[in-house]
Amino acid sequence: MSFLKRIMKEESPADVMNRLPGLIKENEQYMIECRRTVHRLAEVGGKEVKTSAFIQKEAEALGLPIEKVSETGLLITLDTGHPGNGVALRAELDALPIPEHPENMKGPKCVISDDPETSHACGHDAHVGMLLGAMRVLNDLKDQISGRIYFCFEEGEENGAGWLSMLDALEEKEVNTAFTIHVSSRMDTGLVSVEAGPRTAGTEEINAVFIGRGGHASRPDLSINPVYAAAAAVTDLAVAFVNQIDPNDPVTLGITSISGGTAQNAFPDTAQVIGGIRFFSAESGKLADKIVRKVFSNSADMHNCGIRFEPSMSFAIQPTINDQDASDLATRVFTKILPEGT
């Protein structure tokens, strides 16, 4: 946070804040072109080879040292040469395995993915473009700011392929503050949200298998039908969430599939329920997990079934909670360079 604090100090060079809007404007088209390039490249998590090579080329043009993190992630360092803290700025590289339509509501898109089966449907192309722009702007200001800035281009955000390796790499860098960004279709263009507190949800996968006993549909008494157990569990879970989750600390429930059996006249041995929960506090996430396991176990028992919770049923991501001091600092800076509001 040191380099931002220096900007905010009264005795800091006045032209730093004055130069920022101009430098950002100068690099606007560069950021747009970077975003379009990454959009065309569109690669899924852990396989962002072309995307990573493009970012590396841009960093090399600035003469910045590059560390490869895991398979395709990159950690690029800007050392100002002035004493100060370390700040991490992060973007993710990966696209989604989703085909892209060549048109939107306004007509043909200006750029589409080269891969017909993969597209940047979550905005990560924009994140990379913005971080590359920030890298150029801050490099131009390095003689007037302090500390070290770490540009984190993280692979595999969607499938979790790269976050742990990036954290391990940053562990050695004495990072004091981290800033990241995500585009949002819910906000008007030109606005920036930097509120403190929970901003994005944590997640847990739901993956449970109800274990019954297969048999012919003509004699349900000789079988144990796990499909009924799975169906009852899903229905009961929805009611339990409504009545046991604090509405002031909400958890969303998404059951996406019940699967079991392939024939209309035979009971399967097992039925599987998958889905997920999203939560904004660790406490509500733990409570939701407890409810899911209790309801599923009781439903299985009621129908004389066994229950198996798969290893993947775990907390994949904890909520993102903005630090109050960092939020206040960002608000002050944005108010100066974006006087129309944040």
Side-chain angles (χ1 to χ4, degrees), residues 39-305:
H39 189 90
R40 283 193 296 269
L41 297 178
E43 300 163 296
V44 296
K47 299 180 180 179
E48 310 99 322
V49 176
K50 291 179 288 185
T51 304
S52 183
F54 168 71
I55 295 168
Q56 185 167 334
K57 180 180 177 182
E58 297 303 305
E60 289 172 347
L62 298 176
L64 298 177
I66 304 165
E67 297 176 49
K68 186 177 180 181
V69 179
S70 191
E71 296 298 323
T72 56
L74 298 172
L75 181 58
I76 300 166
T77 303
L78 170 60
D79 190 340
T80 67
H82 304 127
N85 294 334
V87 179
L89 305 179
R90 172 198 170 271
E92 58 275 83
L93 309 183
D94 55 329
L96 291 165
I98 298 175
E100 180 176 22
H101 197 283
E103 296 187 358
N104 54 29
M105 295 178 67
K106 295 183 66 176
K109 295 179 181 178
C110 64
V111 59
I112 62 172
S113 172
D114 292 340
D115 185 344
E117 301 301 322
T118 306
S119 66
H120 273 289
C122 198
H124 297 180
D125 51 341
H127 303 167
V128 172
M130 287 185 281
L131 189 54
L132 286 172
M135 192 165 69
R136 292 219 330 187
V137 169
L138 292 170
N139 189 60
D140 283 343
L141 292 170
K142 65 181 178 181
D143 292 336
Q144 297 169 279
I145 57 179
S146 62
R148 298 164 309 286
I149 306 166
Y150 302 102
F151 302 95
C152 310
F153 293 90
E154 179 186 312
E155 71 173 87
E157 187 270 340
E158 298 290 350
N159 62 9
W163 66 268
L164 186 58
S165 296
M166 185 61 72
L167 287 177
D168 288 342
L170 290 172
E171 187 72 23
E172 303 174 0
K173 306 298 182 182
E174 297 183 359
V175 174
N176 304 97
T177 304
F179 290 92
T180 185
I181 194 167
H182 207 299
V183 293
S184 173
S185 60
R186 299 189 297 271
M187 294 181 63
D188 293 336
T189 299
L191 296 182
V192 181
S193 171
V194 292
E195 290 96 339
R199 304 307 301 155
T200 60
T203 65
E204 181 188 26
E205 178 180 335
I206 294 174
N207 192 339
V209 178
F210 293 83
I211 304 166
R213 184 171 65 240
H216 198 275
S218 64
R219 291 297 304 271
D221 57 308
L222 300 179
S223 303
I224 300 175
N225 187 355
V227 175
Y228 281 135
V234 170
T235 302
D236 291 342
L237 183 60
V239 176
F241 261 58
V242 169
N243 289 285
Q244 298 180 41
I245 297 292
D246 183 350
N248 297 305
D249 192 6
V251 178
T252 59
L253 170 67
I255 298 298
T256 56
S257 174
I258 301 178
S259 59
T262 57
Q264 59 84 27
N265 62 344
F267 298 121
D269 287 321
T270 62
Q272 185 178 32
V273 177
I274 62 173
I277 59 175
R278 292 176 179 262
F279 50 91
F280 285 97
S281 74
E283 292 74 17
S284 64
K286 291 177 182 177
L287 174 60
D289 174 76
K290 181 179 178 180
I291 293 171
V292 171
R293 293 176 185 272
K294 182 177 180 180
V295 169
F296 278 26
S297 296
N298 287 345
S299 294
D301 184 59
M302 183 174 65
H303 289 272
N304 295 320
C305 285

